[in-house]
Amino acid sequence: MNTIEIPEVNFYKEFPSELDELKPSEFEFLVKQVIAYQSGVISENDMLTAISFHLIGIRKSVKWFRLNQDQIEIVVDNVNRINEIIRDFFDEQQSENGQKILVFKNGVSRNLLPKIKKLYGPDSVLQNCSFFEYKQAHAEYVLYLKNQNIENLNRLIAILYRPKKWFLPILKLLPNFPGDVRRKFSPLSNPLILEKRVKYVSKLPYYYKYAFFLIYTGFESFLRTGDIEIDGNEISLSALYSNSTGTEDTGVGLTGLLYELSESKVFGSVNDTANTNLYDVLVRIYQLVKMSEIIKRKADVANQNI
């Protein structure tokens, strides 16, 4: 967190220094401003100033009508300084028509949109998702990147955002409650229920969809470059994607992996494997990758000694 202190107007406030430190309401406001800027409704400076004012709450905290000219200039200078910090959230890119646009520099690893209306979303970096959930969500994400069809984005959200479980207060009392409040989504789920949820999501304001697209992009980045701790040892997930760009359609590959793991009986049947936690599957794949590397190195050494 950063700190702003303006003693001249008796103002002190902490504010986020990176995206992951934002509150859900702050992130929603930021996304709305980004959309307004990208649509040409406001300028870059107006966007940054609006975000800065919102994050530090200076409009509510400072009695502007009581300030003299010198105090106003001090406040403005501080807001401009915060604008530069907020500006560092973004990178510049060129759009297809040659215009300058801002995109998030670093993806988020927290789910800054834990709930959309009556639907509950996944944990940060999909920690409570099954392998099947990820496979289905990833396929829709890849399609959206390719064709920018909003229907794919609607489906991505409908897969990962679901109503809370029936009898949740009672379930939470059980010793084996997994912690996921969302209703289960598996290969055996009624497809009509998903389609009904897709229709509901399609009517939501666009900023919800764009916000989760940004969040999910951060999740995908983490799954390809992040580090996780297993039994006290830190492993890098990048080893699983050394030959992957992260944007190709790997749906078939994930389906193949599902059947390959089920045939090995590591997690049980195809359905059992589909319902296995995503990270349990990733760790098993990591183990297989490392075993393959060891075997390859031993084979190379043996060939050199021939």
Side-chain angles (χ1 to χ4, degrees), residues 294-306:
I294 292 172
I295 293 172
K296 185 178 182 302
R297 284 199 298 269
K298 289 182 176 179
D300 291 342
V301 171
N303 290 333
Q304 291 174 1
N305 293 332
I306 295 177

Side-chain angles (χ1 to χ4, degrees), residues 34-43:
V34 170
I35 291 173
Y37 165 68
Q38 292 179 342
S39 303
V41 176
I42 60 177
S43 67

Side-chain angles (χ1 to χ4, degrees), residues 1-7 9 11-19 21-22 26 29-30 44-59 61-62 64 72-90 102:
M1 299 289 284
N2 284 318
T3 301
I4 177 174
E5 186 172 3
I6 313 176
V9 294
F11 182 82
Y12 173 89
K13 180 75 181 241
E14 287 189 336
F15 64 96
S17 58
E18 56 187 47
L19 290 171
E21 293 176 347
L22 292 170
E26 293 171 338
F29 182 87
L30 181 145
E44 178 182 318
N45 186 66
D46 287 342
M47 176 192 73
L48 295 173
T49 301
I51 294 171
S52 296
F53 271 57
H54 184 79
L55 292 184
I56 63 177
I58 197 168
R59 280 195 174 119
S61 303
V62 175
W64 291 86
I72 290 176
E73 289 180 1
I74 291 171
V75 172
V76 170
D77 287 342
N78 277 273
V79 170
N80 287 335
R81 180 170 61 86
I82 297 172
N83 283 0
E84 289 302 312
I85 295 173
I86 302 302
R87 179 65 175 76
D88 201 45
F89 287 0
F90 304 92
L102 296 179

Side-chain angles (χ1 to χ4, degrees), residues 1-2 33 43 47 49-50 63 86 95 124 139 175 218 226 229 241 256 278:
M1 299 289 284
N2 284 318
Q33 298 306 308
S43 67
M47 176 192 73
T49 301
K63 303 298 183 182
I86 302 302
S95 65
S124 297
E229 187 174 298
Y241 301 93
L278 169 63

Side-chain angles (χ1 to χ4, degrees), residues 109-111 121-129 179-180 182 219:
S109 58
R110 288 179 54 224
N111 187 354
D123 283 350
S124 297
V125 291
L126 309 177
Q127 293 179 58
N128 62 342
C129 287
D180 191 352
R182 303 171 303 159
F219 291 173

